Amino acid sequence: DTGVSQNPRHKITKRGQNVTFRCDPISEHNRLYWYRQTLGQGPEFLTYFQNEAQLEKSRLLSDRFSAERPKGSFSTLEIQRTEQGDSAMYLCASSLGDTVRETQYFGPGTRLLVL
Amino acid sequence: RKEVEQDPGPFNVPEGATVAFNCTYSNSASQSFFWYRQDCRKEPKLLMSVYSSGNEDGRFTAQLNRASQYISLLIRDSKLSDSATYLCVVNPTGGFKTIFGAGTRLFVKA
C-alpha cells in the first residue's frame, strides 16, 4: 500500500496524559498537513510542512500541540496534557508540488478519545 | 462569519435526480477551490478542483462565482454510490493553509 498511513488508528487516554501520533506520507511527497476533525465538521487545519520546515501553524493550536517532520519524511503530532476537548479524529495529508493546486491525499486518521 | 460555509443538508434525493450544492467563502482574495468527498468514517478524497471557467467531470460540474464569492457543485443522474458528505475547500491566502467547510450530506435513495 503506497498511500498515507497513520498510527495508531485509535488511542484512548486519560486526561492529562501525553499522546503522540505518527504519519507516513506518500513517498517523495514534499508537503504534509495535519488536520483535526470532529463529528459533523470538516477537517480543521492545524499545521503544514514543506519538507522538514513547519511553515504555518493554526492560531487555534495551543502550546500543548507540537508537530515535527525530521528529515522531511514521516511526521509526528504530540499533544501534551490532553483535555477532553482534544477528542477528535486527527488526519494527516500529503501532497507533491509547488503550487496550491496539488491534490492532498489523506490518511485514514487517528481517532483520539480523552477520558 | 465562517471562512467557508456550506448548507449542511442532508439532501435526500432519488436515484437519477440532479442535485446542486453551494458553498460561500469570505475572503475575496481566495485563490484555489476544491470539492472533496468524504464517505462515512473514511478520509476525504479529492472530487475535483474548481477553475474560474468552470469545469466538468462526467456527471459532476463545478463552477466558481468570484463576484458573489461562492462555488457550486452539480451532480447529474445521481447514483446510490454518490451518497457521501461533500466538502468545500478553499485556499484563502495564497499560502498552503486550506479551509474546509463543514460539509453537505447527500443521501441518494433507490
Side-chain angles (χ1 to χ4, degrees):
Chain A
D1 187 350
T2 58
V4 178
S5 62
Q6 293 187 243
N7 289 286
R9 295 290 306 277
H10 303 273
K11 179 69 177 179
I12 300 174
T13 191
K14 293 181 179 179
R15 188 177 54 179
Q17 297 295 304
N18 299 344
V19 294
T20 299
F21 309 143
R22 176 177 171 127
C23 171
D24 287 90
I26 293 173
S27 179
E28 299 184 356
H29 274 196
N30 55 338
R31 291 207 168 76
L32 187 147
Y33 304 76
W34 283 100
Y35 296 87
R36 177 174 62 191
Q37 186 173 25
T38 54
L39 193 63
Q41 300 299 314
E44 176 186 24
F45 173 85
L46 294 178
T47 188
Y48 95 91
F49 293 83
Q50 181 163 328
N51 300 311
E52 66 275 9
Q54 186 174 17
L55 296 186
E56 192 159 355
K57 188 174 177 180
S58 169
R59 289 172 295 175
L60 299 175
L61 215 60
S62 75
D63 292 341
R64 298 184 296 105
F65 288 73
S66 63
E68 294 182 342
R69 193 184 183 195
K71 303 179 183 178
S73 56
F74 72 92
S75 176
T76 58
L77 177 69
E78 181 183 17
I79 308 174
Q80 297 182 325
R81 304 181 303 282
T82 53
E83 301 172 356
Q84 288 183 325
D86 297 331
S87 296
M89 175 72 84
Y90 289 84
L91 292 163
C92 173
S94 70
S95 68
L96 174 66
D98 297 320
T99 76
V100 299
R101 288 204 165 275
E102 282 76 23
T103 301
Q104 293 187 37
Y105 295 88
F106 282 81
T110 295
R111 187 173 296 278
L112 173 66
L113 177 61
V114 182
L115 301 176
Chain B
R1 180 183 175 186
K2 290 184 178 180
E3 291 186 83
V4 178
E5 293 198 75
Q6 296 183 248
D7 181 344
F11 286 65
N12 293 287
V13 303
E15 272 188 296
T18 295
V19 61
F21 309 136
N22 282 341
C23 165
T24 59
Y25 59 94
S26 61
N27 188 333
S28 60
S30 297
Q31 297 188 10
S32 301
F33 310 88
F34 311 87
W35 285 101
Y36 275 69
R37 169 191 170 133
Q38 186 170 26
D39 293 307
C40 188
R41 303 184 73 83
K42 297 288 189 180
E43 69 273 19
K45 293 183 179 180
L46 178 69
L47 179 65
M48 57 197 307
S49 299
V50 186
Y51 301 117
S52 297
S53 56
N55 47 302
E56 186 174 314
D57 182 3
R59 297 182 294 106
F60 299 84
T61 300
Q63 293 193 318
L64 167 64
N65 185 317
R66 285 193 180 274
S68 299
Q69 294 181 213
Y70 76 84
I71 66 173
S72 63
L73 177 67
L74 181 75
I75 305 175
R76 291 181 299 277
D77 189 23
S78 299
K79 310 292 184 189
L80 294 175
S81 58
D82 293 334
S83 297
T85 296
Y86 291 84
L87 298 162
C88 170
V89 184
V90 175
N91 169 259
T93 64
F96 289 89
K97 176 180 178 180
T98 46
I99 307 298
F100 282 73
T104 297
R105 295 206 67 185
L106 171 66
F107 293 101
V108 181
K109 305 169 295 183

